[in-house]
Amino acid sequence: MTDVKPMRADARRNYEALLTQAQRAFAEHGVEASLEDIARRAGVGIGTLYRHFPTREALLETLLRARFDGQAGRARELLTHPEPLTALQTWLAGLGEAMGTYRGLVELTADALSDETSRLYASCHAMRDAGSQLVERAKEAGELRADVTTHELLLLLHAASWAGGHLPGPGGMQRLLALVFEGLRAS
């Protein structure tokens, strides 16, 4: 077992400042926000950013892991919901909200699902696997078409999340998901 040294107080402050400023920058400019700008906003040099986060993906993974793990936990909680299709729709809406946090995140997570070397791969797969249980439950209850796969639903969610961000006004993604679900109901 490897002993992990606790961070010095100044290193911890720098780490937290980088995460705070990265979250703001990604929200404002998308996942391609300038790392140099993030470091400057945090009051540190770019070398400090790279010491904590060797790649852009490492920084994003740190910001997103808790959110994705939370979505996996939410899927497990929804397994007890009395209406399987409503549970699935609720989970997908929450996941869609998480995906819409940063412009470009949809593409990044779609890529991470198929790239085993991605730092987001494990979190994305844990989230997908938990959601798969909701999909199967809705199919077994006869509320969801039997031929629908979790992978297809995630791709539809990615598309609705991306497209919803291009519709005027709030609620675009939710509207598109509602339209999609009307076509996915079992007949």
Side-chain angles (χ1 to χ4, degrees):
M1 183 170 156
T2 306
D3 290 326
V4 177
K5 277 179 33 176
M7 255 188 234
R8 295 183 333 257
D10 61 329
R12 171 58 65 192
R13 277 191 303 275
N14 290 342
Y15 180 85
E16 296 298 331
L18 285 165
L19 288 177
T20 298
Q21 295 308 321
Q23 190 166 8
R24 288 180 182 152
F26 292 144
E28 292 170 13
H29 305 290
V31 297
E32 294 301 321
S34 165
L35 296 181
E36 290 82 7
D37 185 48
I38 291 169
R40 183 186 52 71
R41 288 169 141 188
V44 301
I46 192 69
T48 299
L49 182 144
Y50 282 121
R51 263 191 303 286
H52 288 289
F53 309 103
T55 64
R56 176 181 304 276
E57 190 177 55
L59 178 55
L60 282 162
E61 190 261 347
T62 300
L63 288 172
L64 298 171
R65 186 179 334 128
R67 182 172 296 151
F68 290 170
D69 291 347
Q71 286 298 320
R74 181 70 176 131
R76 288 187 290 274
E77 290 170 8
L78 286 166
L79 285 171
T80 62
H81 192 283
E83 299 175 25
L85 187 60
T86 299
L88 176 60
Q89 289 173 313
T90 299
W91 179 73
L92 286 170
L95 184 54
E97 292 289 326
M99 301 309 272
T101 305
Y102 308 136
R103 189 174 58 252
L105 184 57
V106 169
E107 295 87 349
L108 183 82
T109 55
D111 291 344
L113 276 167
S114 60
D115 180 5
E116 292 182 29
T117 65
S118 168
R119 293 177 65 119
L120 292 171
Y121 180 84
S123 288
C124 287
H125 273 269
M127 185 173 47
R128 185 198 65 191
D129 293 346
S132 291
Q133 295 174 39
L134 291 171
V135 170
E136 293 308 313
R137 187 169 169 254
K139 287 180 356 182
E140 289 169 6
E143 295 180 359
L144 185 67
R145 288 174 44 161
D147 62 340
V148 174
T149 69
T150 302
H151 184 71
E152 290 169 334
L153 283 179
L154 290 176
L155 289 174
L156 286 170
L157 174 67
H158 286 150
S161 185
W162 178 87
H166 291 64
L167 291 175
M173 188 262 317
Q174 291 85 354
R175 163 111 176 101
L176 293 175
L177 278 181
L179 292 171
V180 166
F181 266 102
E182 284 306 311
L184 291 174
R185 287 189 187 277
S187 45

